[in-house]
Amino acid sequence: MSVAFNLTNSLKDNFGFINNVSKESGQPVEQCYQCGKCTAGCPVAFAMDYPPHRVLRMVQLGLKENVLRSQAIWLCAGCSTCTSRCPRNVDLAQVMDCLRSLAKREGVPLDDRARDVSLFYDCFLNTVEDNGKLYELGMMLNYNLKTRQLFKNANTGLAMLTRNKIKFLPAKTKNRRDVAMIFQRVRELEGKAR
Ligand code: SF4
Ligand code: SF4
């Protein structure tokens, strides 16, 4: 009795996950017929734990935990090569984006490279929110602090500074407050506080 009950619940969870991803990404994930063209063109597939077509298959099978804990969704560079190659009109880049967002929202624990990429996104967005635009040096320092690699790429950063490719101080952005308000509004919609 309890085995049947658990099985029913887990099937419900699986369907819930598939529907969620379809709805949030706006993509017909059920249409994928596993031709593999996305993976064949993906420039990052070699570094992923699951290639892109397999990520989509796992979504179709409702394997929520495996998908949301995968490094693949964080290593995806969002280049949209897969999207342009798909014969079933599945925008896989959009699906990957949606999966990252779900993983964040559900507080899924991330490993190694996935955690570093997620931190990089956070540092990027924080600096845009604080300064109204990207402040490269601030973002790099923040990222190095959070990943505990204080001097990572220090030589490159120094070379860029001396060649005036990046600024020492953040630029003064006219619409800084408007940008901060956009972040605030998104946070309210997501029911979060900073
Ligand atoms: S190219 Fe499209 S149909 Fe083919 S495996 Fe990738 S997502 Fe599925
Ligand atoms: S968007 Fe992501 S999954 Fe698609 S080809 Fe680019 S890196 Fe690969």
Side-chain angles (χ1 to χ4, degrees):
M1 177 72 179
S2 85
V3 172
F5 178 75
N6 286 341
L7 193 62
T8 314
N9 268 357
S10 112
L11 282 174
K12 267 191 198 157
D13 284 352
N14 289 2
F15 279 119
F17 179 58
I18 303 164
N19 287 338
N20 246 357
V21 175
S22 288
K23 203 169 148 199
E24 282 207 23
S25 67
Q27 295 308 307
V29 290
E30 72 289 348
Q31 291 289 323
C32 166
Y33 54 20
Q34 290 292 290
C35 67
K37 282 188 78 175
C38 48
T39 295
C42 174
V44 195
F46 73 94
M48 293 174 168
D49 45 359
Y50 302 109
H53 73 286
R54 198 175 296 175
V55 171
L56 207 58
R57 187 64 179 146
M58 294 195 301
V59 171
Q60 288 176 332
L61 294 173
L63 301 175
K64 180 175 172 180
E65 197 173 332
N66 302 56
V67 176
L68 296 189
R69 293 194 69 150
S70 74
Q71 296 195 356
I73 63 174
W74 292 98
L75 294 181
C76 164
C79 67
S80 292
T81 307
C82 51
T83 302
S84 64
R85 291 169 67 103
C86 179
R88 301 297 283 167
N89 291 325
V90 179
D91 185 342
L92 186 47
Q94 191 72 39
V95 175
M96 293 290 208
D97 210 23
C98 162
L99 293 171
R100 284 191 291 270
S101 173
L102 278 175
K104 269 274 195 205
R105 224 177 307 151
E106 303 214 357
V108 174
L110 302 173
D111 304 325
D112 310 332
R113 293 178 299 172
R115 190 183 51 237
D116 287 353
V117 178
S118 169
L119 274 174
F120 186 86
Y121 280 130
D122 289 345
C123 294
F124 178 91
L125 290 173
N126 286 346
T127 182
V128 173
E129 180 173 5
D130 291 341
N131 302 291
K133 64 185 284 194
L134 177 62
Y135 168 40
E136 292 94 342
L137 186 62
M139 185 196 74
M140 284 159 58
L141 291 174
N142 197 10
Y143 176 74
N144 280 6
L145 267 178
K146 286 191 168 158
T147 53
R148 297 183 190 159
Q149 314 171 84
L150 210 51
F151 297 106
K152 190 180 181 193
N153 295 324
N155 287 344
T156 313
L158 211 57
M160 290 174 84
L161 264 176
T162 50
R163 287 176 178 77
N164 213 20
K165 298 289 181 196
I166 57 175
K167 303 282 180 215
F168 191 70
L169 294 172
K172 284 200 167 59
T173 316
K174 214 168 98 191
N175 298 327
R176 205 169 87 177
R177 283 200 178 163
D178 295 339
V179 176
M181 276 168 65
I182 294 172
F183 278 86
Q184 187 55 36
R185 182 80 185 110
V186 171
R187 230 174 255 121
E188 281 165 17
L189 288 171
E190 290 179 341
K192 288 183 199 159
R194 190 179 185 187

